[in-house]
């Protein structure tokens, strides 16, 4: 049925709550790492739907899984279980430290489950006093009120009335600041094994191992928020695998569904047992459509060759960005790991990341920012080398347009 009104950017302002400010471009279809808008203009996608589209757009394995499941069963609720959820859970357990899985629909919901579980565990094993959650400044854990309060940016959590209590924030990559806060009253320390939204900040080896040790010394659980780093993004199935540190609880979402909403919390049997029957739940969590697509995405990404490819593609990005920088002197640093890359703007371009994003869009390239002064790249893990080259060429045009203006 053709709409009797035009579906354009103006309609957004008319009918949508104004919490976002989307681009004027409205993409209507995608294939691999290319996307086309309403005017059939083509873009190369270095954004990946914010580290979600790990296999690009409309990957055949995901399309097939969705189509096949869509003709079987769509939804049951957790009054009954379903085959796709159990298959996916089994694969998550077989391929990680975890022994138990809880399914949710997003990163925030997965973290919400993790934090509630940590509090339950502490209450039942150690008593009422042990309820402190320590997270890190600039960290991001989602937008529910609990998760946004655990997150390290008060600008996101202020203005909504009284916050959930007993949450403290230490400095990332600063063990002394964690030492100053942690005690036997701490029930969990929550960290991203590479801060994404906070500016593409990798933990030092000393820091991440030190956090694990402080958790052990204080009987606190270590929660890794792998919502952005998980499912191959950093060149390992999960980032913890490359850090030589195992968390007690791990959350995963974003790339888990390759574009279909799903999240999961993974943990051990010993900890999981504290979420007893009735203590937590979700109507859609473990939905068969979501789990069928996620299973196909997981099977595709959990492959040595694909993961090795992530590191090769990352090198192509870093070399290309360094070459652009040699010509135009706009970055102070190219950082990150695998295909989560940050190009940090130097002093001359502070606060201008959004301008680079807009200039890239004009050249037919989608990129992301991480804060006001970092351009972030989170492309498909299977982006073809030619698309990287072509996208970097477009990015160079965008950089030139800003430098020469
Ligand atoms: C995106 C993100 C979240 C929130 O995920 P949603 O699906 O938006 O709820 C949580 N943690 C990290 C590290 C993220 O990058």
């Amino acid at each position: 049925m053709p709409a009797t009104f035009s579906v354009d950017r103006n309609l957004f302002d008319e009918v949508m709550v104004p919490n976002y400010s989307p681009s004027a471009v409205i993409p209507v279809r995608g294939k691999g790492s290319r996307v086309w808008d309403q005017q059939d203009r083509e873009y190369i996608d270095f954004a990946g739907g914010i580290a979600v589209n790990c296999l690009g757009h409309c990957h055949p394995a995901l399309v097939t899984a969705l189509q096949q499941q869509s003709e079987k069963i769509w939804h049951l609720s957790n009054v009954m279980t379903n085959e796709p959820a159990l298959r996916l859970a089994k694969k998550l357990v077989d391929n990680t430290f975890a022994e138990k899985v809880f399914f949710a629909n997003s990163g925030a919901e997965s973290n919400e489950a993790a934090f509630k579980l940590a509090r339950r565990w502490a209450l039942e094993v150690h008593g009422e006093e042990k309820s402190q959650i320590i997270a890190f400044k600039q960290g991001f854990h989602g937008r529910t009120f609990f998760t946004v309060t655990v997150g390290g940016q008060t600008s996101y959590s202020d203005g909504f009335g009284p916050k959930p209590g007993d949450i403290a924030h230490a400095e990332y990559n600063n063990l002394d600041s964690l030492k100053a806060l942690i005690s036997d009253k701490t029930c969990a320390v929550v960290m991203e094994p590479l801060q994404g939204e906070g500016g593409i900040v990798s933990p030092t080896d000393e820091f991440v191992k030190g956090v694990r040790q402080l958790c052990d010394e204080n009987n606190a659980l270590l929660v890794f928020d792998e919502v952005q780093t998980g499912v191959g993004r950093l060149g390992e199935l999960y980032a913890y695998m490359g850090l030589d540190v195992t968390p007690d609880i791990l959350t995963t979402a974003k790339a888990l569904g390759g574009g279909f909403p799903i999240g999961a919390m993974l943990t051990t049997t010993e900890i999981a047992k504290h979420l007893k029957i009735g203590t937590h739940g979700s109507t859609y969590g473990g939905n068969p459509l979501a789990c069928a697509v996620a299973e196909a995405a997981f099977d595709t990404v959990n492959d040595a060759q694909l993961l090795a490819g992530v590191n090769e593609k990352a090198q192509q990005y870093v070399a290309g960005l360094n070459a652009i920088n040699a010509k135009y002197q706009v970055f102070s640093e190219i950082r990150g790991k695998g295909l989560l890359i940050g190009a940090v703007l130097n002093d001359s371009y502070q606060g201008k990341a959004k301008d680079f994003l807009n200039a890239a869009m004009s050249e037919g390239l989608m990129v992301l920012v991480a804060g006001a002064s970092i351009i972030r790249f989170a492309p498909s893990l299977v982006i073809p080398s030619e698309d990287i080259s072509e996208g970097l060429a477009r990015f160079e045009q965008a950089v030139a347009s800003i430098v020469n203006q």
Side-chain angles (χ1 to χ4, degrees), residues 106-109 111 140-143 192 197 225 227-228 253-254:
S106 67
E109 282 184 29
N111 284 328
F140 185 77
H141 303 295
R143 297 284 201 148
E192 295 163 83
E197 304 301 311
D225 178 345
V227 170
Q228 188 154 167
K254 288 201 167 96

Side-chain angles (χ1 to χ4, degrees), residues 122-405:
L123 180 72
E124 294 184 357
V125 176
H126 296 279
E128 241 166 45
E129 297 281 277
K130 196 175 178 71
S131 63
Q132 185 195 42
I133 293 176
I134 303 178
F136 293 94
K137 289 177 187 163
Q138 303 306 316
F140 185 77
H141 303 295
R143 297 284 201 148
T144 65
F145 204 20
F146 195 0
T147 59
V148 82
T149 307
V150 172
Q153 291 198 54
T154 47
S155 60
Y156 289 166
S157 56
D158 285 348
F160 299 99
K163 296 178 186 181
D166 214 6
I167 297 164
H169 295 95
E171 306 256 347
Y172 201 77
N173 275 336
N174 181 341
L175 268 187
D176 287 338
S177 94
L178 178 59
K179 257 183 220 153
L181 291 172
I182 200 167
S183 72
D184 58 2
K185 307 268 191 313
T186 307
C187 84
V189 176
V190 182
M191 69 178 277
E192 295 163 83
L194 181 157
Q195 285 193 330
E197 304 301 311
I200 317 295
V201 182
S202 294
T204 64
D205 189 55
E206 182 205 359
F207 177 69
V208 72
K209 289 183 173 143
V211 173
R212 176 72 268 183
Q213 196 187 336
L214 284 172
C215 286
D216 293 343
E217 287 167 9
N218 291 279
N219 287 318
L221 299 180
L222 177 58
V223 181
F224 267 13
D225 178 345
E226 292 231 28
V227 170
Q228 188 154 167
T229 55
V231 196
R233 176 62 46 195
L234 303 195
E236 311 267 355
L237 183 61
Y238 284 98
Y240 83 85
M241 296 170 177
L243 294 173
D244 209 17
V245 165
T246 304
D248 301 297
I249 302 178
L250 180 153
T251 55
T252 175
K254 288 201 167 96
L256 184 62
F260 203 98
I262 181 169
M265 175 191 71
L266 314 183
T267 188
T268 63
T269 302
E270 199 48 36
I271 297 167
K273 72 181 186 200
H274 298 283
L275 276 190
K276 299 187 180 75
I277 294 171
T279 51
H280 193 52
S282 161
T283 295
Y284 278 121
N287 168 275
L289 287 173
C291 290
V293 176
E295 185 192 3
F298 190 83
D299 285 345
T300 309
V301 171
N302 189 23
D303 171 87
Q305 212 180 330
L306 185 145
L307 294 171
V310 169
N311 292 314
E312 283 160 28
K313 292 171 202 299
Q315 284 170 20
Q316 191 183 347
Y317 269 97
V318 172
L321 291 168
N322 278 324
I324 291 171
N325 200 33
K327 257 176 152 168
Y328 297 97
Q329 286 91 46
V330 282
F331 308 127
S332 59
E333 189 187 3
I334 309 296
R335 66 192 187 201
K337 192 172 180 192
L339 286 173
L340 188 54
I341 300 165
V344 185
L345 293 171
N346 65 23
D347 287 344
S348 311
Y349 297 94
Q350 283 301 295
K352 296 231 161 97
K354 201 76 200 268
D355 296 352
F356 284 81
L357 181 151
N358 290 332
M361 205 69 167
S362 306
E363 299 296 332
L365 176 72
M366 296 171 168
V367 301
L368 299 166
V369 302
S373 302
I374 299 172
I375 302 153
R376 173 171 39 156
F377 305 92
S380 157
L381 306 181
V382 295
I383 183 171
S385 175
E386 313 85 78
D387 288 8
I388 300 177
S389 309
E390 172 65 22
L392 285 170
R394 294 182 190 184
F395 188 61
E396 180 168 343
Q397 291 301 117
V399 169
S401 75
I402 290 187
V403 171
N404 298 328
Q405 83 193 353

Side-chain angles (χ1 to χ4, degrees), residues 51-70:
V52 166
N53 305 319
C54 58
L55 296 169
H57 298 272
C58 297
H59 187 282
L62 306 197
V63 171
T64 301
L66 183 58
Q67 282 174 343
Q68 288 181 349
Q69 188 59 40
S70 76

